Amino acid sequence: GENVEQHPSTLSVQEGDSAVIKCTYSDSASNYFPWYKQELGKGPQLIIDIRSNVGEKKDQRIAVTLNKTAKHFSLHITETQPEDSAVYFCAASPRRALTFGSGTRLQVQP
Amino acid sequence: DGGITQSPKYLFRKEGQNVTLSCEQNLNHDAMYWYRQDPGQGLRLIYYSQIVNDFQKGDIAEGYSVSREKKESFPLTVTSAQKNPTAFYLCASSIAGGNTEAFFGQGTRLTVV
């Protein structure tokens, strides 16, 4: 089955700086790569996703890049704000259900 | 208001007892999923269902059971065979299979006492 690895496990940045989280996946059949944000005690919420026929996607301060050859994808958050502090999960899906990475705790220092 | 509702938010169970977690969606989604989350870890797939009256085991199905008798409901039973049931349980749904956006409920925190 699919295996997703995510790095780093924790990330601390100053407000206004950029943050980058990286994931690799194992199953070349995976074609959908979402990113979720989870706040304490709540369910994850989708923040951006990308499909395998696209190399990059942007939504305001958030962007995701995908390298199918290397089987890795990354989340980029620019101009970070304190409200960006949360746990972020990447995921990959060949078809049946999402397989998640282990999560990155992002702390944005004011 | 469309969405996924999990209940209860907190649940306490004595060792040796079965307990059922509720998950209801009014999004008219075909697919539903159960994930388990342990502290500091990612989400692990327990069971999933892509259509009514059909469900498949995920990566950690041992000690759990599900049913999918109605499109909008996908209850999860944690049985006494589950050796370490204390965790945060998340239900999700998507319009079709795993390569469509999954919407999550707010979770149920189960504690074995």
Side-chain angles (χ1 to χ4, degrees):
Chain A
E2 177 62 277
N3 181 49
V4 177
E5 294 195 359
Q6 182 173 346
H7 301 280
S9 56
T10 60
L11 181 58
S12 182
V13 299
Q14 291 295 123
E15 184 177 356
D17 287 351
S18 294
V20 180
I21 303 170
K22 299 183 179 183
C23 289
T24 60
Y25 63 98
S26 61
D27 190 341
S28 56
S30 284
N31 57 11
Y32 176 61
F33 306 92
W35 287 87
Y36 283 83
K37 177 182 181 182
Q38 186 179 30
E39 296 177 347
L40 194 62
K42 296 187 175 180
Q45 282 199 300
L46 181 76
I47 54 171
I48 195 167
D49 56 12
I50 191 167
R51 296 193 179 274
S52 57
N53 58 348
V54 175
E56 183 174 357
K57 184 176 178 182
K58 269 183 126 173
D59 183 3
Q60 299 183 327
R61 297 186 296 110
I62 295 173
V64 58
T65 58
L66 171 65
N67 182 328
K68 281 195 310 182
T69 305
K71 294 201 189 80
H72 68 70
F73 56 114
S74 301
L75 177 71
H76 305 252
I77 305 174
T78 58
E79 299 171 24
T80 52
Q81 300 167 2
E83 51 265 38
D84 293 330
S85 296
V87 179
Y88 291 81
F89 291 97
C90 63
S93 177
R95 193 174 63 250
R96 60 159 199 171
L98 293 172
T99 298
F100 285 83
S102 54
T104 296
R105 182 173 299 279
L106 174 64
Q107 187 76 33
V108 180
Q109 308 287 348
Chain B
D1 228 347
I4 295 193
T5 302
Q6 289 187 244
S7 60
K9 191 171 173 64
Y10 299 96
L11 191 54
F12 296 87
R13 184 195 101 176
K14 290 185 179 178
E15 270 194 55
Q17 287 181 338
N18 292 356
V19 64
T20 297
L21 282 60
S22 169
C23 178
E24 304 275 331
Q25 55 100 358
N26 60 4
L27 301 167
N28 200 31
H29 285 172
D30 283 321
M32 296 187 74
Y33 314 86
W34 275 105
Y35 287 90
R36 170 181 171 139
Q37 186 175 27
D38 293 288
Q41 296 190 31
L43 285 68
R44 292 184 289 167
L45 182 66
I46 305 173
Y47 268 98
Y48 64 102
S49 167
Q50 297 196 326
I51 199 165
V52 174
N53 291 323
D54 185 55
F55 50 83
Q56 307 294 330
K57 290 182 179 180
D59 301 318
I60 55 164
E62 186 176 347
Y64 300 98
S65 66
V66 293
S67 63
R68 187 85 187 277
E69 295 175 3
K70 298 187 294 183
K71 187 175 186 178
E72 58 270 23
S73 178
F74 192 40
L76 173 75
T77 297
V78 184
T79 75
S80 55
Q82 169 48 235
K83 291 184 174 32
N84 185 18
T86 295
F88 190 48
Y89 290 88
L90 287 158
C91 179
S93 71
S94 65
I95 195 163
N99 55 2
T100 55
E101 180 182 354
F103 294 80
F104 282 84
Q106 293 300 292
T108 292
R109 188 167 299 281
L110 173 64
T111 303
V112 174
V113 297

